[in-house]
Short mmCIF file of all heavy atoms in Angstrom, two decimals:
data_model
loop_
_atom_site.label_atom_id
_atom_site.label_comp_id
_atom_site.label_asym_id
_atom_site.label_seq_id
_atom_site.Cartn_x
_atom_site.Cartn_y
_atom_site.Cartn_z
N VAL X 4 5.24 -16.50 -27.03
CA VAL X 4 6.60 -16.04 -26.81
C VAL X 4 6.57 -14.61 -26.21
O VAL X 4 5.87 -13.75 -26.70
CB VAL X 4 7.40 -16.04 -28.13
CG1 VAL X 4 8.80 -15.47 -27.92
CG2 VAL X 4 7.51 -17.47 -28.67
N VAL X 22 -6.41 2.77 -15.14
CA VAL X 22 -7.84 2.71 -15.18
C VAL X 22 -8.53 2.44 -13.85
O VAL X 22 -9.75 2.49 -13.74
CB VAL X 22 -8.37 1.65 -16.24
CG1 VAL X 22 -7.85 1.97 -17.59
CG2 VAL X 22 -8.06 0.25 -15.80
N VAL X 40 -7.92 -14.32 -24.61
CA VAL X 40 -8.00 -14.48 -23.18
C VAL X 40 -7.47 -15.82 -22.75
O VAL X 40 -6.68 -15.91 -21.77
CB VAL X 40 -9.46 -14.23 -22.66
CG1 VAL X 40 -9.56 -14.59 -21.16
CG2 VAL X 40 -9.93 -12.84 -22.94
N SER X 45 -2.63 -19.78 -18.87
CA SER X 45 -1.51 -20.60 -18.40
C SER X 45 -0.63 -19.77 -17.42
O SER X 45 0.27 -20.35 -16.80
CB SER X 45 -0.64 -21.03 -19.62
OG SER X 45 -0.14 -19.85 -20.29
N HIS X 46 -0.97 -18.51 -17.26
CA HIS X 46 -0.20 -17.64 -16.36
C HIS X 46 -1.04 -17.20 -15.11
O HIS X 46 -0.48 -17.07 -14.03
CB HIS X 46 0.27 -16.40 -17.08
CG HIS X 46 1.13 -16.70 -18.25
ND1 HIS X 46 2.44 -17.07 -18.15
CD2 HIS X 46 0.86 -16.66 -19.59
CE1 HIS X 46 2.96 -17.27 -19.33
NE2 HIS X 46 2.04 -17.00 -20.21
N ASN X 49 -7.63 -16.53 -13.25
CA ASN X 49 -8.83 -15.71 -13.59
C ASN X 49 -8.52 -14.31 -13.11
O ASN X 49 -7.40 -14.00 -12.63
CB ASN X 49 -10.06 -16.28 -12.87
CG ASN X 49 -9.82 -16.52 -11.38
OD1 ASN X 49 -9.19 -15.72 -10.70
ND2 ASN X 49 -10.38 -17.62 -10.87
N THR X 55 -5.12 -10.54 -7.16
CA THR X 55 -4.30 -10.97 -5.97
C THR X 55 -2.84 -10.81 -6.23
O THR X 55 -2.08 -10.31 -5.40
CB THR X 55 -4.64 -12.42 -5.59
OG1 THR X 55 -6.02 -12.51 -5.26
CG2 THR X 55 -3.82 -12.95 -4.42
N ALA X 61 2.27 -5.03 -5.28
CA ALA X 61 2.18 -3.72 -4.64
C ALA X 61 2.71 -3.78 -3.24
O ALA X 61 3.45 -2.93 -2.83
CB ALA X 61 0.73 -3.23 -4.71
N LEU X 65 5.95 -1.70 -1.92
CA LEU X 65 5.82 -0.82 -0.77
C LEU X 65 6.81 -1.19 0.35
O LEU X 65 7.39 -0.36 1.01
CB LEU X 65 4.38 -0.77 -0.20
CG LEU X 65 3.48 0.22 -0.82
CD1 LEU X 65 2.02 -0.07 -0.45
CD2 LEU X 65 3.85 1.61 -0.38
N LEU X 82 9.05 7.76 11.24
CA LEU X 82 7.59 7.88 11.03
C LEU X 82 7.31 8.69 9.74
O LEU X 82 6.52 8.29 8.90
CB LEU X 82 6.92 8.53 12.21
CG LEU X 82 5.42 8.83 12.09
CD1 LEU X 82 4.64 7.56 12.09
CD2 LEU X 82 4.98 9.77 13.26
N ALA X 86 5.62 7.27 6.33
CA ALA X 86 4.38 7.90 5.90
C ALA X 86 4.53 8.44 4.43
O ALA X 86 3.63 8.29 3.61
CB ALA X 86 3.99 9.01 6.85
N TYR X 92 3.70 6.71 -3.02
CA TYR X 92 3.30 5.55 -3.78
C TYR X 92 1.85 5.69 -4.29
O TYR X 92 1.59 5.37 -5.41
CB TYR X 92 3.47 4.27 -2.90
CG TYR X 92 3.37 3.01 -3.66
CD1 TYR X 92 4.45 2.49 -4.40
CD2 TYR X 92 2.19 2.25 -3.64
CE1 TYR X 92 4.34 1.29 -5.11
CE2 TYR X 92 2.08 1.05 -4.38
CZ TYR X 92 3.17 0.59 -5.05
OH TYR X 92 3.09 -0.61 -5.77
N ARG X 99 -2.17 0.52 -7.86
CA ARG X 99 -1.40 -0.37 -7.02
C ARG X 99 -1.66 -0.10 -5.54
O ARG X 99 -1.74 -1.06 -4.70
CB ARG X 99 0.08 -0.28 -7.32
CG ARG X 99 0.46 -0.80 -8.69
CD ARG X 99 1.95 -0.64 -8.91
NE ARG X 99 2.20 -0.39 -10.30
CZ ARG X 99 3.32 -0.66 -10.94
NH1 ARG X 99 4.36 -1.11 -10.27
NH2 ARG X 99 3.45 -0.36 -12.20
N ALA X 103 -2.96 -2.76 -2.82
CA ALA X 103 -2.30 -3.14 -1.60
C ALA X 103 -3.27 -3.19 -0.43
O ALA X 103 -2.96 -3.79 0.61
CB ALA X 103 -1.22 -2.06 -1.29
N ARG X 104 -4.47 -2.61 -0.57
CA ARG X 104 -5.50 -2.72 0.46
C ARG X 104 -6.48 -3.86 0.22
O ARG X 104 -7.42 -4.03 0.99
CB ARG X 104 -6.23 -1.36 0.54
CG ARG X 104 -5.35 -0.23 1.04
CD ARG X 104 -6.11 1.03 1.28
NE ARG X 104 -6.88 1.53 0.14
CZ ARG X 104 -6.40 2.30 -0.83
NH1 ARG X 104 -5.15 2.69 -0.80
NH2 ARG X 104 -7.18 2.70 -1.80
N VAL X 118 3.31 -8.64 5.93
CA VAL X 118 3.92 -8.99 7.24
C VAL X 118 5.10 -8.05 7.50
O VAL X 118 5.34 -7.55 8.60
CB VAL X 118 4.36 -10.46 7.26
CG1 VAL X 118 5.14 -10.79 8.53
CG2 VAL X 118 3.11 -11.35 7.12
N ARG X 122 5.76 -5.40 10.62
CA ARG X 122 6.96 -5.40 11.42
C ARG X 122 7.66 -4.01 11.41
O ARG X 122 8.11 -3.53 12.42
CB ARG X 122 7.95 -6.47 10.95
CG ARG X 122 7.62 -7.84 11.42
CD ARG X 122 8.73 -8.81 11.26
NE ARG X 122 9.18 -8.86 9.89
CZ ARG X 122 9.03 -9.91 9.07
NH1 ARG X 122 8.48 -11.01 9.51
NH2 ARG X 122 9.48 -9.90 7.82
N THR X 124 6.18 -1.13 10.85
CA THR X 124 5.35 -0.19 11.62
C THR X 124 5.61 -0.36 13.10
O THR X 124 5.80 0.64 13.85
CB THR X 124 3.86 -0.41 11.31
OG1 THR X 124 3.68 -0.30 9.92
CG2 THR X 124 3.02 0.68 12.03
N GLY X 130 10.02 3.25 19.18
CA GLY X 130 10.58 4.54 19.59
C GLY X 130 9.61 5.38 20.44
O GLY X 130 10.00 6.35 21.06
N TYR X 131 8.34 4.94 20.43
CA TYR X 131 7.31 5.66 21.21
C TYR X 131 6.92 4.91 22.47
O TYR X 131 6.04 5.34 23.20
CB TYR X 131 6.09 5.94 20.34
CG TYR X 131 6.39 6.86 19.20
CD1 TYR X 131 6.70 6.40 17.91
CD2 TYR X 131 6.37 8.24 19.40
CE1 TYR X 131 6.99 7.27 16.88
CE2 TYR X 131 6.68 9.12 18.37
CZ TYR X 131 6.97 8.62 17.10
OH TYR X 131 7.24 9.49 16.09
N GLY X 157 -5.74 12.07 -3.41
CA GLY X 157 -5.83 11.58 -4.76
C GLY X 157 -7.11 11.84 -5.47
O GLY X 157 -7.18 12.01 -6.69
N GLU X 170 1.35 21.25 3.24
CA GLU X 170 1.43 21.89 4.53
C GLU X 170 0.57 21.11 5.57
O GLU X 170 1.02 20.87 6.69
CB GLU X 170 0.98 23.36 4.46
CG GLU X 170 1.14 24.10 5.76
CD GLU X 170 0.70 25.55 5.62
OE1 GLU X 170 0.74 26.12 4.54
OE2 GLU X 170 0.39 26.14 6.69
N ALA X 173 2.33 17.86 6.60
CA ALA X 173 3.36 18.10 7.59
C ALA X 173 2.74 18.26 9.00
O ALA X 173 3.27 17.71 9.97
CB ALA X 173 4.22 19.32 7.21
N ASP X 180 3.12 12.39 15.65
CA ASP X 180 4.29 12.26 16.51
C ASP X 180 3.97 12.68 17.94
O ASP X 180 4.30 11.96 18.89
CB ASP X 180 5.45 13.07 15.92
CG ASP X 180 6.68 13.02 16.74
OD1 ASP X 180 7.20 11.89 16.94
OD2 ASP X 180 7.12 14.08 17.29
N LEU X 182 1.00 12.80 19.38
CA LEU X 182 0.05 11.82 19.91
C LEU X 182 0.75 10.56 20.36
O LEU X 182 0.51 10.05 21.47
CB LEU X 182 -1.04 11.49 18.88
CG LEU X 182 -2.00 10.36 19.25
CD1 LEU X 182 -2.82 10.74 20.50
CD2 LEU X 182 -2.91 10.01 18.11
N ASN X 185 2.52 10.88 23.51
CA ASN X 185 1.65 11.08 24.66
C ASN X 185 0.42 10.13 24.64
O ASN X 185 -0.65 10.50 25.08
CB ASN X 185 1.14 12.54 24.68
CG ASN X 185 2.32 13.50 24.83
OD1 ASN X 185 2.96 13.58 25.85
ND2 ASN X 185 2.59 14.25 23.76
#
Side-chain angles (χ1 to χ4, degrees):
V4 175
V22 301
V40 173
S45 62
H46 301 285
N49 51 39
T55 297
L65 270 168
L82 176 69
Y92 191 81
R99 293 180 212 202
R104 295 187 303 273
V118 175
R122 280 195 304 249
T124 306
Y131 294 98
E170 184 179 337
D180 179 61
L182 172 64
N185 299 292

